Amino acid sequence: MKSTNQHQVTPVQQNQRIHFLDVLRGIAILCIFMANIVYFSGLFFFPETFRNRAFEFPSDMILGALAYMFIDGKFYTIFSLLFGIGCFVQFNKLNQQNEPFAPFFAKRMFWLLVFGLIHLVGFWLGDILTLYALLGFAIIPFIKVSDKKLLTLAAILILLPIVNWLIINYFGMDYPKVIMDKSIAVWKNFGYPQVEWQGELWNDVVFELTNKNWSDFFKMNLGNSWIRFSMILQEGRIFKVFGIFLIGLWAGRHILNQNLLQNTKLLKKIAVIGLLLGLPMSFLRTYLEFFGERNQINSFLHTLSYAFGTVPMAMGYTVLIALLFRKKPNVFLWLAPAGKMAFTNYILHTIFGISLFYGVGFGYAGKFGFTVITLIAVGYFLLQVVFSSIWLNYFKYGPLEWIWRQLTYGTWLKIKKSKSYIELNPEKS
């Protein structure tokens, strides 16, 4: 893709990367998989009698509660923050080259949307790429907005899910159900079984996970894709994610222009405030989820605690990791390769999850308790770190990162590192 001044836009070079962001991305991709594997494994959908007793442990309940409190929602929040930071990094690079940002980023988001829709409609309803791409288009006009306006709007957006809950549950305007009904209609059209839960009809997830026919798998997932849109609206996730994107823009601006990662005084302040607010709110949310009654008051408190707990806690995590990384970078740098290939590794999570748990794969859905699936997630991620490290010894980008870049930049990009580069820069390989 050529601009009017004939300069070719090129990707961020390896020696220009901020290694902390790759480390943080690696940690986020691990914890996102630890959260998502619960759904891949069918843990919530099969009766306990279905499980293999050899794979159940007394630690299951405790680990489940701890994961819900300390992991659930926090790390896709961090991933959203990194998306906003990356957006500003791209803007800054293009600005230095006197290149227009909007057409470049719109093209980048278009191809991310294509990847996302293939992932969502074809394979897994938990896809996050589609939402990121759609909101990525919306972030373009905010790239030059002042810090004060960015943070003010972000705070409002992060709290809007509370208003969204009131609209749906208090005023009875359940607009997400219209989209959920489309999923039910697709399954009915194909003749797949449905079950009644809390007085309403739902697609039979156990049937989906145990199905062994690929044709049926794709048809069912076509219906399931509507569930994803409904859930995003139900949770008010659009508002929250876009608000975090805006915080990411602010953070990217301050990282590049004001050396934010070296401002230990501000980082410590954010960490203390984030964790002091986030921990008790996350504890309340966990208590309500595991021990609270299913009623409207607790549902509202759940939404309230999520809004006031998840984002502050995620921000606290982020700056705490930044502070630790500054003191002991070598303790964390081994995670960077997985972070550099986060797109590839994220899609590989889906391939692994379907292959291991679904009926079209090895069919282990519903067989394991929480302890085992957590160990599986960590073990597979460690393999991804090894794979990513070996791959990046010889190639500049991950496989999907390379394809995405080529589509975005509209030109052939050399992926293989030269032997001379590897010999002269072994630490960057």
Side-chain angles (χ1 to χ4, degrees):
M1 182 179 71
K2 301 281 186 178
S3 68
T4 53
N5 62 8
Q6 301 301 309
H7 290 296
Q8 186 173 12
V9 178
T10 57
V12 174
Q13 300 301 307
Q14 298 302 311
N15 59 3
Q16 297 173 318
R17 297 184 72 94
I18 300 171
H19 295 304
F20 163 69
L21 298 181
D22 288 325
V23 167
L24 186 62
R25 199 174 284 110
I27 294 171
I29 205 72
L30 162 62
C31 294
I32 287 171
F33 187 43
M34 289 174 68
N36 287 345
I37 198 172
V38 176
Y39 299 91
F40 283 122
S41 70
L43 183 69
F44 294 151
F45 307 112
F46 288 80
E48 290 189 14
T49 53
F50 191 83
R51 292 181 199 158
N52 187 322
R53 295 298 179 188
F55 298 115
E56 287 189 298
F57 296 93
S59 56
D60 288 346
M61 182 68 172
I62 297 171
L63 277 177
L66 290 175
Y68 193 80
M69 179 170 175
F70 292 103
I71 294 176
D72 188 77
K74 283 74 175 178
F75 288 90
Y76 94 76
T77 298
I78 292 176
F79 214 68
S80 302
L81 179 74
L82 286 164
F83 185 95
I85 293 172
C87 176
F88 189 83
V89 169
Q90 294 287 343
F91 167 76
N92 189 68
K93 177 180 69 71
L94 291 165
N95 193 46
Q96 289 176 350
Q97 298 174 0
N98 293 318
E99 298 286 346
F101 171 72
F104 163 80
F105 199 72
K107 189 175 182 182
R108 183 174 172 83
M109 291 301 100
F110 170 78
W111 288 113
L112 183 62
L113 180 60
V114 171
F115 282 116
L117 287 173
I118 293 171
H119 185 227
L120 170 64
V121 177
F123 297 93
W124 192 51
L125 64 81
D127 169 76
I128 195 65
L129 303 177
T130 302
L131 177 62
Y132 277 23
L134 292 172
L135 294 181
F137 287 111
I139 205 174
I140 294 173
F142 293 88
I143 197 71
K144 294 183 180 179
V145 169
S146 69
D147 289 348
K148 183 178 180 181
K149 288 182 179 178
L150 280 179
L151 295 180
T152 301
L153 182 57
I156 294 171
L157 286 166
I158 289 166
L159 295 178
L160 272 182
I162 300 172
V163 178
N164 186 67
W165 185 94
L166 291 171
I167 291 171
I168 295 171
N169 295 279
Y170 186 76
F171 293 103
M173 299 171 61
D174 193 0
Y175 65 97
K177 189 177 184 302
V178 176
I179 298 177
M180 181 66 79
D181 288 343
K182 290 185 178 295
S183 174
I184 303 294
V186 172
W187 271 52
K188 277 186 177 179
N189 181 63
F190 288 123
Y192 299 131
Q194 292 163 326
V195 294
E196 188 174 317
W197 184 66
Q198 294 186 348
E200 294 193 22
L201 206 60
W202 293 82
N203 298 335
D204 189 343
V205 180
V206 172
F207 175 80
E208 177 194 4
L209 291 171
T210 54
N211 159 66
K212 297 182 179 181
N213 183 283
W214 276 103
S215 176
D216 290 331
F217 169 84
F218 289 117
K219 290 175 183 176
M220 282 186 279
N221 209 67
L222 177 64
N224 288 344
S225 61
W226 291 103
I227 296 176
R228 183 57 170 172
F229 293 119
S230 177
M231 289 169 60
I232 286 172
L233 294 175
Q234 186 81 33
E235 298 169 3
R237 188 174 291 202
I238 291 175
F239 310 121
K240 175 193 168 184
V241 170
F242 194 68
I244 299 163
F245 279 6
L246 297 182
I247 296 175
L249 285 184
W250 175 89
R253 183 182 294 167
H254 283 254
I255 287 170
L256 295 182
N257 299 335
Q258 298 184 32
N259 215 13
L260 175 63
L261 293 177
Q262 305 304 318
N263 189 343
T264 55
K265 184 177 180 180
L266 177 59
L267 293 179
K268 288 178 180 178
K269 185 177 180 180
I270 295 172
V272 170
I273 294 173
L275 294 176
L276 284 178
L277 180 60
L279 279 169
M281 288 291 103
S282 293
F283 177 81
L284 173 60
R285 176 172 174 258
T286 303
Y287 176 83
L288 292 169
E289 179 68 22
F290 283 80
F291 305 106
E293 294 181 9
R294 302 297 177 188
N295 56 47
Q296 198 168 54
I297 293 176
N298 284 346
S299 174
F300 176 72
L301 290 175
H302 193 282
T303 300
L304 196 71
S305 59
Y306 189 87
F308 282 99
T310 303
V311 175
M313 199 161 170
M315 298 304 159
Y317 282 168
T318 300
V319 295
L320 186 60
I321 295 168
L323 290 167
L324 293 172
F325 179 83
R326 189 180 176 198
K327 287 187 175 182
K328 299 284 185 180
N330 291 333
V331 174
F332 297 92
L333 281 173
W334 64 276
L335 291 158
K340 290 178 183 178
M341 289 175 50
F343 185 13
T344 295
N345 286 327
Y346 173 71
I347 296 300
L348 286 175
H349 291 169
T350 298
I351 295 172
F352 176 79
I354 291 171
S355 299
L356 180 61
F357 296 110
Y358 281 52
V360 292
F362 290 102
Y364 283 105
K367 298 293 186 182
F368 305 134
F370 197 92
T371 303
V372 172
I373 64 171
T374 300
L375 291 173
I376 290 172
V378 173
Y380 182 67
F381 173 75
L382 292 176
L383 290 176
Q384 286 191 312
V385 172
V386 174
F387 165 70
S388 300
S389 299
I390 294 172
W391 179 276
L392 292 173
N393 277 336
Y394 300 98
F395 302 98
K396 296 178 181 178
Y397 319 107
L400 288 181
E401 286 79 2
W402 177 60
I403 295 171
W404 187 20
R405 278 170 167 80
Q406 289 200 118
L407 292 169
T408 299
Y409 292 99
T411 187
W412 176 263
L413 298 173
K414 185 178 178 182
I415 186 172
K416 196 170 182 180
K417 292 179 178 176
S418 64
K419 289 185 178 179
S420 59
Y421 179 90
I422 296 172
E423 290 169 357
L424 292 172
N425 304 277
E427 76 285 354
K428 294 179 182 177
S429 298

